[in-house]
Amino acid sequence: MKKFFRKIRYNLIETGKTTKYFKYAIGEIILVVIGILIALQINNWNENRKSEKDKQKLMFALKQEFLINKNTLENHLVGLHKSNAQLNRLVNYSAGAIELPSDSLKLYASNIVYPITLSMLNSVLDEAISAGKFEMLSDSLKQKLSLLIDYTKSRKKISENLDKITVDTDDEVTELYLSLSAFPEVPNKYYVQKPTVMHPDFIKNNEELELIVKSSKTYSKLHQIYYFSISDEIWIKYGLLRLTTEIIDVIDKELKE
């Protein structure tokens, strides 16, 4: 093909047809430019197609991760809500606002902290951010994901404050927990050693337990725990779970487009 065009140029020059030669040369340049533009267009089309395919793959992976997280959040919220409802009644009992049967008092006093730790999946989102794939997502989806990250960080602070209150090395707090038997029971299948028994000094009868629960020191500690526990419930229900559900809806909508 190159030899063919070169032969034409030589013939035009040899016959003295300079004007025709320049017109031909310009035409050849235009053809080359058009060829380059077509090649670039095809390359851009291929790149856009690959980018869209990668975007679809990422959104699908995010959806699977968030579906698992949604189920985890819903299950955790059920247990946390039940725990906080019992703690609410215990705080009101401590303040003298309500009465509780002895059995209920023992049950509520022994479960003042919800023992399940919330564990969320975030490997797909973290990898997308670190690999620079986050930017390929739509603005609406990126906004939702950014909000979720902020809510997760804020919820972590609440959880840390709750840990500071409940995991306290203060002797008075430890004695209070022992007197209330406020340590979650571990199922037998998880024991790696034989279970310990309560020291007789910390075993309280009904009257002694009532006095401990109704003391101002106990009320103060229970109220602190309840404040952060209920904050955690609100943050999970109206923050993490709500945004997780909205993100799944946005992904579903965009995958159908």
Side-chain angles (χ1 to χ4, degrees):
M1 184 64 73
K2 289 183 179 179
K3 290 182 179 179
F4 175 74
F5 285 121
R6 191 181 296 117
K7 185 177 180 181
I8 293 176
R9 288 198 297 271
Y10 287 157
N11 289 335
L12 289 173
I13 292 172
E14 288 175 357
T15 56
K17 299 177 180 180
T18 307
T19 303
K20 288 187 176 181
Y21 169 74
F22 281 119
K23 289 181 179 179
Y24 170 80
I26 293 171
E28 187 175 340
I29 292 171
I30 292 173
L31 286 175
V32 171
V33 171
I34 292 173
I36 293 172
L37 291 175
I38 292 173
L40 288 173
Q41 187 67 27
I42 293 173
N43 183 65
N44 288 338
W45 181 80
N46 287 330
E47 288 296 323
N48 289 337
R49 185 180 178 185
K50 182 178 180 298
S51 178
E52 184 62 26
K53 187 177 181 180
D54 290 342
K55 177 183 174 181
Q56 295 277 325
K57 184 178 179 181
L58 174 58
M59 286 196 298
F60 183 78
L62 283 170
K63 179 183 175 181
Q64 299 310 306
E65 186 168 84
F66 282 113
L67 282 171
I68 294 173
N69 285 345
K70 181 181 179 182
N71 184 63
T72 299
L73 287 166
E74 289 173 341
N75 290 334
H76 186 85
L77 199 57
V78 170
L80 181 59
H81 180 75
K82 181 179 178 181
S83 177
N84 283 342
Q86 293 180 352
L87 184 54
N88 177 287
R89 293 178 65 79
L90 189 63
V91 171
N92 284 325
Y93 175 84
S94 180
I98 63 172
E99 292 297 325
L100 289 175
S102 297
D103 290 344
S104 297
L105 177 59
K106 291 177 181 178
L107 175 64
Y108 299 166
S110 65
N111 294 283
I112 61 176
V113 178
Y114 187 53
I116 306 300
T117 301
L118 178 61
S119 180
M120 305 282 287
L121 296 178
N122 54 19
S123 58
V124 175
L125 180 57
D126 287 347
E127 195 278 332
I129 294 173
S130 63
K133 297 179 181 178
F134 186 78
E135 292 304 316
M136 70 171 60
L137 300 173
S138 67
D139 290 340
S140 59
L141 184 53
K142 285 191 292 186
Q143 184 182 34
K144 295 287 185 185
L145 290 169
S146 297
L147 279 173
L148 181 64
I149 292 171
D150 290 341
Y151 269 86
T152 301
K153 290 178 180 177
S154 298
R155 189 260 164 182
K156 184 178 179 182
K157 292 180 181 178
I158 294 173
S159 182
E160 288 173 351
N161 285 326
L162 183 58
D163 288 341
K164 288 179 182 178
I165 295 171
T166 55
V167 186
D168 202 321
T169 56
D170 185 270
D171 290 341
E172 288 187 3
V173 174
T174 302
E175 184 172 342
L176 173 62
Y177 276 33
L178 288 169
S179 297
L180 296 176
S181 298
F183 297 95
E185 294 185 4
V186 179
N188 292 334
K189 63 180 179 179
Y190 294 122
Y191 275 120
V192 293
Q193 298 290 339
K194 291 182 179 180
T196 57
V197 296
M198 184 65 69
H199 191 283
D201 289 349
F202 294 109
I203 299 176
K204 308 298 180 184
N205 59 38
N206 292 344
E207 291 75 16
E208 290 171 331
L209 181 60
E210 290 175 7
L211 288 173
I212 292 172
V213 173
K214 288 191 174 183
S215 72
S216 58
K217 286 185 178 180
T218 302
Y219 174 84
S220 177
K221 180 57 62 176
L222 292 175
H223 194 276
Q224 282 183 309
I225 295 171
Y226 179 71
Y227 173 80
F228 286 108
S229 294
I230 201 68
S231 297
D232 194 31
E233 184 180 348
I234 292 171
W235 222 251
I236 291 173
K237 183 175 182 178
Y238 298 106
L240 303 187
L241 182 56
R242 176 181 63 82
L243 281 169
T244 297
T245 302
E246 290 178 0
I247 287 169
I248 293 171
D249 290 341
V250 171
I251 292 175
D252 277 337
K253 182 180 178 181
E254 293 187 5
L255 286 173
K256 291 177 182 177
E257 291 179 353

